[in-house]
Amino acid sequence: MEKARKKLEYFWMYYKWHVILPAAFLMIAAGIIYSFLGEEEMLLNVYLINTGTRLGAAEEIAADFKKESHIGDGKVLLDATLSIDTQDFNENAYTGSLEKITTEVFAHDLDVIIAPMDVVVYYGERGAVDEAAARSLAGSRWEEAFGMEEPLYICILNNSGRKEMAEEFVSYMLQSRKP
């Protein structure tokens, strides 16, 4: 037993870096490769702004859209956590929502917004959406999930990088009327 311990001490004293550095390099390389290859492709990015959407509804809508559209692998993201105050822009600085939305708009990463008309008008004035193309979701089967206190509108962003998928989603939302 003593002989094995001495061999282990000798190995650790003189060869530990010969083992640790290649192992660390392999772990870092594997992490980098996984981060590039393991990430799902973004198929659609939708922001629900000032909607009061019930918990879990966004995931339910995304899953149903993927199933109904037979689009397969990829990520359909519906973010219902955003709210902006179009009357008091100083208030928005505390939440960060306005900055997040605006960044996604100009990075061509946001495809569709679902929001009250005042939010649609706000982004329409900035050239991000065509207000005339905004369609009401009143009567949608998702109306209850949205917790609609005021009418919500859906519209595609002018600089969406995934226009075809965005149009398919808008079509899906408008066809999904209550029976």
Side-chain angles (χ1 to χ4, degrees):
M1 183 73 168
E2 184 65 29
K3 192 175 183 181
R5 190 175 68 80
K6 285 191 180 219
K7 284 184 178 183
L8 186 60
E9 284 177 1
Y10 176 82
F11 177 81
W12 187 250
M13 179 74 79
Y14 294 103
Y15 296 102
K16 65 183 167 196
W17 296 113
H18 295 264
V19 172
I20 292 174
L21 291 177
F25 176 76
L26 287 174
M27 287 175 30
I28 291 170
I32 290 171
I33 290 169
Y34 177 76
S35 70
F36 285 111
L37 299 179
E39 195 171 309
E40 280 186 295
E41 176 189 6
M42 176 68 78
L43 299 174
L44 185 70
N45 190 7
V46 180
Y47 281 176
L48 291 85
I49 307 164
N50 295 355
T51 62
T53 303
R54 75 169 161 74
L55 189 63
E59 292 83 8
E60 187 181 335
I61 294 167
D64 191 61
F65 170 67
K66 282 182 72 171
K67 183 179 129 203
E68 294 288 321
S69 302
H70 307 288
I71 55 178
D73 293 338
K75 190 177 351 177
V76 174
L77 176 68
L78 274 76
D79 187 346
T81 63
L82 304 164
S83 65
I84 62 172
D85 183 357
T86 54
Q87 306 304 314
D88 182 9
F89 291 102
N90 292 330
E91 183 66 28
N92 293 311
Y94 299 119
T95 65
S97 293
L98 186 65
E99 291 84 359
K100 179 179 180 178
I101 297 165
T102 304
T103 300
E104 294 284 327
V105 166
F106 291 109
H108 305 268
D109 285 337
L110 183 58
D111 304 304
V112 176
I113 62 170
I114 297 174
M117 186 50 88
D118 61 341
V119 175
V120 173
V121 168
Y122 174 81
Y123 282 103
E125 290 171 351
R126 281 143 188 83
V129 297
D130 179 8
E131 294 172 50
R135 305 284 305 272
S136 174
L137 288 174
S140 165
R141 75 177 191 191
W142 301 109
E143 188 172 16
E144 186 179 312
F146 289 136
M148 293 173 64
E149 293 176 15
E150 59 182 302
L152 293 177
Y153 295 84
I154 186 168
C155 55
I156 299 172
L157 275 81
N158 293 335
N159 63 354
S160 166
R162 299 171 282 264
K163 283 236 193 252
E164 288 179 24
M165 188 66 67
E167 289 168 358
E168 191 173 331
F169 180 74
V170 169
S171 236
Y172 161 81
M173 292 301 290
L174 294 173
Q175 290 173 0
S176 300
R177 300 289 181 189
K178 291 179 188 174

